[in-house]
Amino acid sequence: MGSLYRSEEMRFCQLIVEKDAAFSVVAELGKQACVQFKDLNPDVNSFQRIFVRDIRRFDEMERKLRFLESQIQKDGMQIGGRVDDGDYEAMPTAELNQLETTLNDLERDVKNMNESDALLKKNFADLKEWDAVLNKTDEFFAGGVDSEAQEELEEQEELGGGRQAEKAPIQYVVGVIRRERIPAFERVLWRACHHTAYVRASDIEEQLEDPETGDKVNKSVFIVFYKGDRLRSIINKVADGFKAKLFANCPRTSKERQSSVHEVRARIADLQTVIGQTREHRFRVLQAAANNHMAWLKQVNLQKSVYHTLNLFNFDGIGRFFVGECWIPLRDIDNVREALERATEASGSAVRPVLNVLETSDEPPTYNKTNKFTAVFQSIVDSYGVASYLEVNPAPYTIITFPFLFSCMFGDLGHGILMLLAGIYLVVREKNLIARNIKDEIFGMFFGGRYIILLMGLFSIHAGFIYNDMFAKAFNIFGSRWHNPYPNANVSHWIHEEEVAKRDILFEVTGQPHQFFSRSNKPRFTNQYSIALSDWRGHLDPGVAYDTAAGPYPFGVDPVWNVAENRLNFLNSMKMKLSVILGIGQMTFGVILSLQNHRFFKSKIDIFTVFIPQMLFLGCIFMYLCLQIILKWIFFWVKEEVIFGQLYPGSHCAPSLLIGLINMFMLKPREAGFVMNETRVGPNNLLIEKEGCYLTQWYPGQSIIEMILVLIAVICVPIMLFGKPIAFILEQKKHKKAHAENITVHANVLTEETEIIANGNGKAEGGHSSGGGGGAHHGENFGDVMVHQAIHTIEYVLGCVSHTASYLRLWALSLAHAQLSEVLWHMVLSNSFNASHNLAIGGIAIYIVFFIFAVLTFSILVLMEGLSAFLHALRLHWVEFQSKFYLGLGYPFVPFSFKEQLSKVELQAAA
Amino acid sequence: MGIVIPMAVVTGFWALVGILGPFVVRRGPNQGIIRTMIVMTAVCCWAFWILVYLHQLNPLIGPQIPVKTIRWLGEKWGNTNN
């Protein structure tokens, strides 16, 4: 059919190309995206495939690109552009080799630069320390530390009892240590040298950079005075332990130190210039790489994907030709041939590739051609299961029924408008939002469903008008049909009584006084306008307060129900009936779609033993129920009249459809008529109703008709159950008989051999199917068919009942939504109006409360309820609707496409 | 106004949309889809409306309203003629 109603027809083709042209052929096909290749080497390990070397080469290049990317990002530079820029030309081999060498060079250069950078930093750090040491030593000696030290050490000597008589010269050593470690260092040194070492330390003001970690650390210069060489080694060891660096060749005289300082300063300046230059160079190199990064990444990925595809091909005999097998949609075969032509021209090969159509028994993939609008609905259907090859596709119907069912559950004008605005924004700013390439997953989900959101908003606005509900308020556009029936005097009197009693007086008002037989045989009368302090408010009687002449409210629910205390009674009844009728309607539609399938696959047996019994079953029970609902709506009211030839006294005898349905199944005998006879009794001339008059027959002949309907429905079940298996057995018998007639016996008298030949020629009996219908049921035996049919029948019969009840979720969710909306209004917003006695306080109160109201409305009612209704509408489609006709056992058509490959790369890059 | 006028108007509107709408669609690859969408929208929306309308045609229960609201109803929306 070539459209979205059914999946496309596919052909299995064989592609033969010359080895040299293979690459450009596959590259050309990648641009088109109409070919799905079959893996002809499924047993071969990925390391043993033909093109494993090329793939490895590209993997290397990709690794280098990733390394460069990390370096670029480490330096804080941005990589501009996108991987997929629409141009899918594959680079020729010469340029590719050049790219490879470029990447090699870049990697090498960047690595070298990193190393030298580290080295330079280390040198720099050393020089800075040396500089600091020189300065501090100057300070120490200027401050006369050496003389102090000398005095101290001599004191120690004297204390120690003058062991060493000679005056050994005081030696010193300088070093650098981290500031935190100084106290511990001093103490350990003190103890290790037996109190004969003198330490002085001074902080380095400038923070130095630690070459390994790159952190800034605080260091200090210390100087240790000691006597004797033995202590030297101790000091060395302690310094080692604390990771302090000792500078042994510190010049002794001040002058030498000064000249050293000058030298060091000069070297530091030089080093800084060198570091600066290296950094600039690195920046330029990385910038150049960043500019080309996306283009290179795209090329590498394109080439790699072509080689992966080529790996699926097979060598043919000599090894000069590649053979590939693929699925191509029927309508695209000409495109593919043209692509092959172009590719052979481009590659300059003399031999043209060959495309043969083959026969195969594999099931073809399912291909549904979608555009950006229908794609999202198709993906909803595919999420449950991809359609079997050539079966009816529910997606085009889902485009409307899904937002419609959503709106039945979400019906609120205000929230619908919010949703519509969001949908309009996403759709109108589509191009801009795609170009911004936002990687956030949740935004991606909402953006992908923008058309659904738009449609849901539109249908919700319509449903909001019909339910007459906007943020829990109703409109009175056409004039309500319910009016005040009481004289003004009475009403004022009741209000006065309320104020006197200081509470709401509730009274019962009944319009139609009635009388019926009760068990105790005592007739009951009720008066009009009797005031009793019981739990009722003014209950408007339809017979009096409803304007019949004007008819019902023209569009939607009457606004009087918004102010009524018993609005839920009314709305529940309405929404339940609505849900049941809509549900049965959608299920019938599903069964009719299955008829389309049966006709397409030309299986008459299915039409007679499956479709017709299904429709009869559905019709006799559920469509009869819908008919009853509609008739009750049209004919039964509160006034006394003759309906279908029977005298109907009033609303007490309005037939109960639910119990009626149950009684229909139980084949319970029912009386006819609502009243005993024509006599009237009592002061108001009332008729005597039968007890349980809401269970009697309400049209003549109802019992007989219902019995027939139940009988038909029950007969349909065994037809569904045994129809196909019996047909299957009959087929087999016919088959065997046909074969039996064809078997001939050849007897060769001379050689005394006999042969049994079947089918009139020497062929062995194959598994040819000569059956008329059900072409796919070759190899099945009777047991399979029987079980399959039993499951199908039970699923259908039980499903009819349970799915009809399941559609009541339309009622349940719309009730929940309306109640939440009302809660927000009464508890949040209207409280702020009550606080508005004082204008100033009221103004501020409303301002704040409105903010809370808006946030709660948007987050709970629109987002949460929206998602909830979305989910339930989805479930209704997947289970209740599609179980009537959908098999969903196919696999999707995944063509070789550059666009797909690159979008996968982009996703990986974002992750 | 009667029952006939709203019935005729709304049914007529959706009939117009659902029966004449498909003929207005331009030729193109999406013609089938758009036609299906139009017809289904007309059917679904009309069904929704008629079911709610029929339910209110002969109401079996009336609204239960506080007395003060009844007085307000009388003033704003008018009393019944009897």
Side-chain angles (χ1 to χ4, degrees):
Chain A
M1 213 188 272
S3 63
L4 201 54
Y5 296 102
R6 235 174 251 283
S7 61
E8 304 267 339
E9 278 194 54
M10 310 289 287
R11 291 283 178 267
F12 192 61
C13 300
Q14 191 183 45
L15 182 64
I16 306 180
V17 290
E18 203 191 356
K19 198 164 141 195
D20 302 327
F23 184 85
S24 48
V25 159
V26 175
E28 192 70 34
L29 290 176
K31 281 189 234 166
Q32 289 257 340
C34 351
V35 176
Q36 176 177 353
F37 286 100
K38 187 172 157 187
D39 189 358
L40 291 173
N41 309 314
D43 312 322
V44 178
N45 193 326
S46 54
F47 294 111
Q48 293 164 351
R49 299 219 181 207
I50 312 173
F51 292 101
V52 73
R53 260 181 304 121
D54 299 88
I55 293 184
R56 222 176 255 161
R57 180 177 169 218
F58 287 110
D59 272 336
E60 261 302 300
M61 285 167 64
E62 224 182 327
R63 185 193 59 78
K64 294 196 180 92
L65 278 170
R66 272 200 300 273
F67 168 71
L68 286 172
E69 188 182 344
S70 69
Q71 292 296 314
I72 293 173
Q73 279 171 350
K74 204 167 81 163
D75 274 11
M77 282 191 271
Q78 291 287 349
I79 301 179
R82 299 177 58 197
V83 180
D84 183 356
D85 62 359
D87 172 27
Y88 300 129
E89 283 297 326
M91 249 187 215
T93 338
E95 281 186 42
L96 209 58
N97 291 336
Q98 208 176 25
L99 178 62
E100 207 179 352
T101 31
T102 315
L103 284 178
N104 269 336
D105 291 338
L106 272 175
E107 193 197 10
R108 204 190 45 224
D109 284 344
V110 169
K111 278 211 176 113
N112 286 342
M113 275 193 286
N114 282 348
E115 278 176 23
S116 61
D117 202 39
L119 211 63
L120 286 172
K121 279 216 180 81
K122 192 162 170 306
N123 276 347
F124 187 72
D126 283 344
L127 284 176
K128 279 244 125 140
E129 282 177 4
W130 186 225
D131 183 34
V133 160
L134 289 172
N135 277 330
K136 294 298 178 189
T137 324
D138 249 356
E139 275 179 37
F140 284 147
F141 283 113
V145 150
D146 51 347
S147 32
E148 279 177 36
Q150 187 128 31
E151 283 173 26
E152 268 244 11
L153 288 174
E154 276 169 0
E155 261 181 51
Q156 290 292 338
E157 269 187 15
E158 279 161 18
L159 284 175
R163 261 176 288 147
Q164 285 195 335
E166 321 119 42
K167 258 213 173 186
I170 291 201
Q171 294 174 332
Y172 67 91
V173 67
V174 278
V176 171
I177 189 177
R178 288 178 103 164
R179 208 177 285 175
E180 312 80 66
R181 299 197 182 134
I182 285 201
F185 181 62
E186 284 186 5
R187 245 176 295 139
V188 170
L189 210 52
W190 187 240
R191 275 195 221 117
C193 302
H194 305 294
H195 314 286
T196 51
Y198 180 77
V199 184
R200 246 317 195 250
S202 166
D203 293 336
I204 305 179
E205 296 84 13
E206 198 187 326
Q207 273 190 336
L208 296 175
E209 199 179 306
D210 185 7
E212 283 142 39
T213 58
D215 296 334
K216 300 259 183 216
V217 291
N218 289 320
K219 295 200 173 173
S220 309
V221 177
F222 65 88
I223 181 167
V224 183
F225 288 98
Y226 61 95
K227 268 195 183 173
D229 293 324
R230 222 179 3 128
L231 290 180
R232 182 61 195 262
S233 56
I234 297 178
I235 293 174
N236 280 350
K237 286 202 190 97
V238 173
D240 248 351
F242 278 86
K243 290 210 182 62
K245 197 151 58 164
L246 293 175
F247 291 89
N249 40 2
C250 185
R252 302 204 132 241
T253 57
S254 180
K255 243 193 276 187
E256 282 176 21
R257 281 199 285 265
Q258 290 297 337
S259 61
S260 287
V261 165
H262 284 306
E263 214 185 287
V264 163
R265 293 260 163 92
R267 277 168 68 188
I268 286 182
D270 281 342
L271 206 56
Q272 265 175 342
T273 347
V274 172
I275 290 184
Q277 295 277 18
T278 357
R279 258 203 205 131
E280 255 188 54
H281 178 63
R282 179 193 157 96
F283 183 79
R284 264 180 279 125
V285 165
L286 285 179
Q287 185 69 45
N291 288 341
N292 292 328
H293 184 261
M294 284 299 172
W296 290 340
L297 196 59
K298 179 187 77 165
Q299 268 308 316
V300 167
N301 276 303
L302 285 187
Q303 304 264 344
K304 200 159 71 143
S305 64
V306 172
Y307 280 110
H308 272 300
T309 314
L310 280 175
N311 267 339
L312 303 174
F313 280 41
N314 219 348
F315 272 114
D316 178 47
I318 325 167
R320 195 166 152 233
F321 285 100
F322 274 130
V323 176
E325 286 176 4
C326 50
W327 288 104
I328 307 182
L330 181 59
R331 55 149 87 183
D332 281 333
I333 285 195
D334 291 325
N335 285 347
V336 171
R337 285 192 207 271
E338 279 175 37
L340 292 178
E341 296 275 333
R342 278 201 300 271
T344 25
E345 273 179 39
S347 76
S349 159
V351 181
R352 294 168 67 202
V354 177
L355 190 69
N356 293 333
V357 177
L358 301 178
E359 290 289 321
T360 179
S361 62
D362 288 344
E363 191 187 336
T366 310
Y367 176 48
N368 285 309
K369 200 166 164 63
T370 53
N371 54 24
K372 69 183 176 193
F373 177 72
T374 53
V376 66
F377 296 101
Q378 186 65 49
S379 73
I380 285 183
V381 171
D382 284 346
S383 300
Y384 184 65
V386 179
S388 301
Y389 182 58
L390 283 186
E391 77 165 343
V392 161
N393 181 18
Y397 312 108
T398 306
I399 299 179
I400 292 296
T401 55
F402 181 81
F404 178 67
L405 286 185
F406 175 87
S407 76
C408 290
M409 296 190 262
F410 192 74
D412 186 308
L413 195 58
H415 306 146
I417 291 181
L418 287 176
M419 202 170 247
L420 180 70
L421 290 176
I424 288 182
Y425 169 72
L426 286 177
V427 171
V428 165
R429 302 276 291 165
E430 208 173 44
K431 291 203 173 56
N432 184 325
L433 287 169
I434 292 182
R436 275 161 66 173
N437 203 14
I438 300 174
K439 304 260 189 253
D440 183 22
E441 206 176 297
I442 294 192
F443 176 80
M445 283 202 312
F446 281 114
F447 182 69
R450 56 195 182 279
Y451 291 107
I452 299 189
I453 296 180
L454 182 67
L455 280 177
M456 293 195 305
L458 279 174
F459 275 95
S460 297
I461 292 180
H462 177 258
F465 272 117
I466 292 199
Y467 286 152
N468 212 353
D469 184 359
M470 176 169 189
F471 296 122
K473 293 283 130 204
F475 289 111
N476 187 7
I477 306 177
F478 302 102
S480 172
R481 301 308 198 237
W482 293 81
H483 304 281
N484 173 23
Y486 308 118
N488 283 337
N490 291 29
V491 176
S492 308
H493 176 70
W494 293 327
I495 291 181
H496 178 73
E497 288 210 5
E498 265 188 12
E499 278 165 15
V500 162
K502 286 205 183 0
R503 64 187 178 101
D504 289 333
I505 288 196
L506 320 156
F507 58 97
E508 175 178 349
V509 174
T510 57
Q512 284 282 46
H514 52 268
Q515 175 187 8
F516 49 86
F517 261 158
S518 58
R519 289 262 160 82
S520 59
N521 240 348
K522 250 195 316 218
R524 254 179 60 179
F525 290 88
T526 42
N527 296 324
Q528 272 196 326
Y529 312 140
S530 65
I531 298 179
L533 294 177
S534 56
D535 257 315
W536 293 95
R537 301 200 177 208
H539 202 144
L540 296 182
D541 170 45
V544 180
Y546 176 67
D547 189 355
T548 318
Y553 192 72
F555 196 84
V557 172
D558 199 297
V560 78
W561 293 104
N562 194 274
V563 296
E565 303 281 313
N566 63 343
R567 65 188 278 252
L568 284 185
N569 283 358
F570 178 77
L571 286 181
N572 284 351
S573 155
M574 178 186 92
K575 286 180 184 174
M576 279 202 229
K577 292 177 181 161
L578 182 71
S579 313
V580 165
I581 296 182
L582 284 179
I584 294 176
Q586 194 179 30
M587 290 200 288
T588 313
F589 183 50
V591 177
I592 293 178
L593 283 182
S594 83
L595 173 67
Q596 290 232 24
N597 264 341
H598 297 321
R599 281 175 54 201
F600 182 81
F601 290 117
K602 298 199 185 9
S603 93
K604 276 205 173 142
I605 189 76
D606 268 317
I607 297 183
F608 286 117
T609 61
V610 177
F611 170 69
I612 291 188
Q614 281 182 341
M615 280 302 274
L616 280 177
F617 186 82
L618 200 58
C620 289
I621 300 178
F622 296 99
M623 287 201 245
Y624 175 65
L625 176 65
C626 293
L627 191 64
Q628 281 185 309
I629 295 177
I630 297 178
L631 286 179
K632 182 176 167 183
W633 275 341
I634 297 179
F635 292 107
F636 286 87
W637 200 35
V638 293
K639 295 257 188 243
E640 180 187 307
E641 52 186 310
V642 176
I643 303 178
F644 295 128
Q646 294 175 148
L647 189 55
Y648 166 74
S651 66
H652 272 236
C653 294
S656 163
L657 297 177
L658 189 58
I659 307 183
L661 187 70
I662 297 175
N663 287 344
M664 170 171 133
F665 267 101
M666 288 167 48
L667 293 175
K668 227 175 165 183
R670 298 161 77 155
E671 289 181 10
F674 303 105
V675 293
M676 305 290 281
N677 43 38
E678 293 278 321
T679 55
R680 292 171 185 270
V681 292
N684 292 324
N685 281 340
L686 304 173
L687 291 165
I688 307 175
E689 300 166 3
K690 287 185 184 169
E691 190 178 342
C693 62
Y694 52 95
L695 294 177
T696 56
Q697 298 180 39
W698 47 274
Y699 63 87
Q702 185 176 5
S703 286
I704 299 177
I705 291 181
E706 287 189 349
M707 195 167 59
I708 295 178
L709 288 176
V710 170
L711 208 61
I712 295 178
V714 169
I715 289 179
C716 285
V717 177
I719 296 182
M720 279 193 269
L721 194 54
F722 296 114
K724 266 172 95 170
I726 292 180
F728 185 80
I729 292 183
L730 290 176
E731 280 291 325
Q732 276 194 336
K733 281 201 185 142
K734 210 166 62 175
H735 218 235
K736 279 192 199 145
K737 220 167 56 160
H739 278 292
E741 280 166 12
N742 274 341
I743 290 180
T744 51
V745 178
H746 281 196
N748 191 332
V749 181
L750 291 175
T751 58
E752 293 196 4
E753 273 178 354
T754 50
E755 267 180 11
I756 299 184
I757 301 177
N759 270 347
N761 43 19
K763 288 206 199 112
E765 187 179 299
H768 300 300
S769 74
S770 52
H777 297 300
H778 276 4
E780 289 185 10
N781 54 5
F782 175 70
D784 282 343
V785 175
M786 188 67 226
V787 166
H788 186 85
Q789 211 43 36
I791 293 177
H792 197 75
T793 306
I794 294 178
E795 191 187 16
Y796 182 76
V797 170
L798 290 182
C800 269
V801 179
S802 85
H803 293 168
T804 305
S806 179
Y807 272 99
L808 285 173
R809 72 187 67 222
L810 293 177
W811 156 61
L813 263 97
S814 80
L815 177 67
H817 191 92
Q819 290 300 99
L820 272 175
S821 210
E822 204 177 307
V823 158
L824 264 188
W825 169 261
H826 281 295
M827 298 293 158
V828 177
L829 204 52
S830 83
N831 276 341
S832 79
F833 293 144
N834 289 341
S836 307
H837 306 296
N838 183 344
L839 197 60
I841 298 182
I844 297 178
I846 289 186
Y847 186 75
I848 297 176
V849 169
F850 180 75
F851 172 71
I852 300 176
F853 173 77
V855 166
L856 285 176
T857 295
F858 189 68
S859 64
I860 295 184
L861 284 173
V862 176
L863 278 179
M864 188 188 84
E865 279 283 318
L867 278 174
S868 171
F870 182 94
L871 185 75
H872 283 283
L874 206 57
R875 178 252 153 72
L876 280 177
H877 275 78
W878 282 353
V879 178
E880 275 78 16
F881 176 53
Q882 287 180 196
S883 69
K884 302 287 177 286
F885 66 97
Y886 195 62
L887 285 172
L889 297 170
Y891 64 102
F893 175 65
V894 184
F896 172 59
S897 150
F898 282 150
K899 198 157 173 207
E900 281 302 310
Q901 295 288 333
L902 290 179
S903 73
K904 258 190 255 179
V905 169
E906 272 185 22
L907 271 177
Q908 266 180 349
Chain B
M1 276 206 285
I3 304 176
V4 178
I5 295 185
M7 185 84 87
V9 167
V10 179
T11 308
F13 173 73
W14 288 119
L16 214 70
V17 167
I19 298 178
L20 295 187
F23 293 108
V24 184
V25 184
R26 255 177 297 169
R27 278 200 164 278
N30 294 326
Q31 190 188 31
I33 301 279
I34 301 181
R35 279 185 172 172
T36 309
M37 281 172 65
I38 292 179
V39 172
M40 288 191 72
T41 308
V43 168
C44 287
C45 291
W46 178 80
F48 202 4
W49 172 81
I50 190 104
L51 291 173
V52 172
Y53 189 78
L54 284 179
H55 184 78
Q56 295 185 104
L57 195 59
N58 293 318
L60 290 171
I61 59 173
Q64 192 182 26
I65 304 180
V67 186
K68 291 205 178 109
T69 312
I70 292 185
R71 180 159 75 175
W72 178 84
L73 278 190
E75 287 173 20
K76 270 287 181 178
W77 293 349
N79 292 323
T80 51
N81 294 330
N82 40 347

